[in-house]
Amino acid sequence: MSTVISNLNMTFQDYQALKNVNLEIKKGEFVAILGPSGCGKTTLLRLLAGFLKPSSGKIEIDGVTVADKDKVTEPNKRNIGMVFQSYALWPHMTVMQQVLFPLQNSRYSKYKTAEEQKRRAETVLDLVGMLPLKNRYPSELSGGQKQRVAIARGIVNEPALLLMDEPLSNLDAELKIEMRREISRLHREIGGTILYVTHDQAEALGMADKIVVMSRGEIQQTGSPVEIFNSPANPFVAKFVGQSNLIKGRWENGIFICGRGERTERGNVAQSFVDENLYPVKADGLSIVDADDSKFSGRIKEIEYQGFNNKIIMLMNDGNTVQVMADSRYAFSEGKEYGIKFA
């Protein structure tokens, strides 16, 4: 079984938020919708949740049409779970009551008796490490603890699809890393299908089986984290995921030429880059050499220390601006001219 989105469009007055979106989310997949603010990812999630009616196209969950331009199945009549960015915990309910609520009120609950519901809630709270705090109220919890409760409430009914709307955006950096591991562990242990909306590429790359990159309401590329990172389909994906340099030059017979004649082979570069006379390369795919050892040279504008590496910005003589990651044990000087070699 799966969730299938077909030719989905969403228009708000004169603004088109989604444009002909097609996507299949297979059972057991962890799919991350990745893109900048305003790209349409939250609109897509709200359509899947049943909060909006599409302008055209349709959504099917487990073979049943739940949304098209004529009708929308209400959220409570869909077998879905939801984890909100703001946690959305009821302030007057304890942790246990929060998790019991969907068990007691959802038509999809398999746990019919009070004892079955209590055991299921305790099992899930134990899974997320919150069982010892089951009698606490939200005001007595930290941000990470609130997020664990929200996740427990979302998964307790074993939904056909779990929707997660930027669930880690309100957490500090260290807690984000911890919760990423926690969500990945839960997915491995309980299975289930997850659609995870984020603008953070580290979250998408680190947790998802499949990443869908969006921009301006359209899907730019769908693939595994490795495919998205190493083989971007177009300049937008290259810049947004991995922050690739897009070096301007020219292509001749599968060879990219820049500067005063520095050359590199095409490799797995997509045709869209060739069409625009660009070469995508990440900062760690370049090395700095003496100016005389390369035909692609320029001056260092800025050096930013980042621990093991320095992030170096170079203004090239042919007009390109290039970012290079260089071992911080080696000294380079701002304002001095150097060459660049492709790895």
Side-chain angles (χ1 to χ4, degrees):
M1 306 297 278
S2 62
T3 298
V4 179
I5 301 165
S6 304
N7 303 314
L8 196 66
N9 290 276
M10 187 66 207
T11 301
F12 298 99
Q13 295 180 353
D14 59 347
Y15 174 70
Q16 189 166 1
L18 292 178
K19 303 172 186 175
N20 201 37
V21 171
N22 291 277
L23 178 65
E24 181 179 4
I25 306 166
K26 296 178 181 177
K27 183 177 180 180
E29 276 191 322
F30 191 132
V31 177
I33 307 294
L34 177 64
S37 297
C39 73
K41 57 188 186 294
T42 297
T43 299
L44 178 58
L45 182 141
R46 290 172 63 82
L47 284 161
L48 284 163
F51 301 149
L52 297 172
K53 184 171 77 172
S55 302
S56 64
K58 68 177 179 177
I59 300 171
E60 297 173 279
I61 298 179
D62 288 348
V64 177
T65 298
V66 296
D68 58 28
K69 66 182 180 63
D70 298 316
K71 64 176 182 177
V72 175
T73 301
E74 295 91 336
N76 64 307
K77 295 179 182 178
R78 303 185 184 197
N79 186 13
I80 59 172
M82 184 90 181
V83 178
F84 295 92
Q85 180 177 341
S86 60
Y87 318 133
L89 300 181
W90 292 289
H92 64 290
M93 289 187 182
T94 66
V95 167
M96 175 61 89
Q97 290 169 332
Q98 308 272 353
V99 179
L100 280 172
F101 186 86
L103 292 170
Q104 295 167 340
N105 293 280
S106 172
R107 66 174 61 195
Y108 294 100
S109 177
K110 298 185 293 187
Y111 306 92
K112 302 303 182 183
T113 69
E115 184 58 32
E116 288 176 335
Q117 292 167 358
K118 180 175 179 290
R119 282 201 303 267
R120 174 61 180 168
E122 288 180 341
T123 297
V124 173
L125 284 172
D126 187 48
L127 194 63
V128 300
M130 289 300 293
L131 186 57
L133 305 180
K134 66 180 182 179
N135 294 318
R136 289 195 183 181
Y137 289 90
S139 61
E140 301 170 314
L141 302 175
S142 68
Q145 290 168 341
K146 290 176 184 177
Q147 195 56 273
R148 285 183 168 86
V149 177
I151 292 169
R153 184 179 60 186
I155 66 176
V156 71
N157 258 338
E158 303 171 69
L161 179 63
L162 177 63
L163 305 174
M164 305 186 81
D165 184 14
E166 304 204 42
L168 308 185
S169 62
N170 292 328
L171 304 180
D172 61 48
E174 187 174 346
L175 193 52
K176 273 187 180 182
I177 294 172
E178 180 183 339
M179 288 306 300
R180 270 165 42 192
R181 293 178 184 143
E182 188 79 2
I183 293 170
S184 296
R185 177 185 67 82
L186 288 169
H187 183 243
R188 288 194 303 270
E189 291 187 10
I190 67 174
T193 308
I194 297 176
L195 184 83
Y196 187 103
V197 166
T198 183
H199 63 271
D200 187 328
Q201 62 169 299
E203 291 179 17
L205 292 169
M207 293 191 292
D209 304 315
K210 180 165 72 180
I211 297 175
V212 180
V213 183
M214 294 189 66
S215 176
R216 297 181 180 180
E218 296 179 288
I219 292 177
Q220 301 295 311
Q221 186 175 0
T222 301
S224 70
V226 172
E227 290 169 340
I228 297 291
F229 190 79
N230 290 331
S231 304
N234 58 46
F236 173 81
V237 178
K239 288 292 286 185
F240 191 75
V241 184
Q243 299 180 331
S244 292
N245 294 291
L246 295 178
I247 298 176
K248 299 172 185 176
R250 68 183 189 276
W251 288 91
E252 293 182 3
N253 301 318
I255 302 294
F256 180 73
I257 306 169
C258 61
R260 293 176 288 106
E262 192 68 22
R263 295 167 175 258
T264 188
E265 294 183 357
R266 176 171 174 173
N268 63 351
V269 173
Q271 183 62 38
S272 60
F273 297 96
V274 178
D275 293 341
E276 296 188 42
N277 281 316
L278 298 173
Y279 184 78
V281 58
K282 292 181 172 54
D284 59 1
L286 299 169
S287 57
I288 298 177
V289 298
D290 290 338
D292 293 338
D293 293 335
S294 172
K295 295 179 181 178
F296 187 36
S297 58
R299 296 185 182 278
I300 292 180
K301 176 187 178 184
E302 181 180 322
I303 301 175
E304 182 181 311
Y305 178 71
Q306 296 191 343
F308 294 113
N309 295 300
N310 286 326
K311 182 168 75 174
I312 298 175
I313 307 298
M314 293 187 64
L315 302 179
M316 310 308 291
N317 295 332
D318 67 351
N320 278 293
T321 298
V322 177
Q323 178 176 296
V324 184
M325 296 301 290
D327 193 320
S328 59
R329 293 175 298 177
Y330 300 105
F332 296 99
S333 301
E334 290 186 6
K336 185 177 178 180
E337 185 161 344
Y338 294 91
I340 281 181
K341 284 287 188 181
F342 296 95

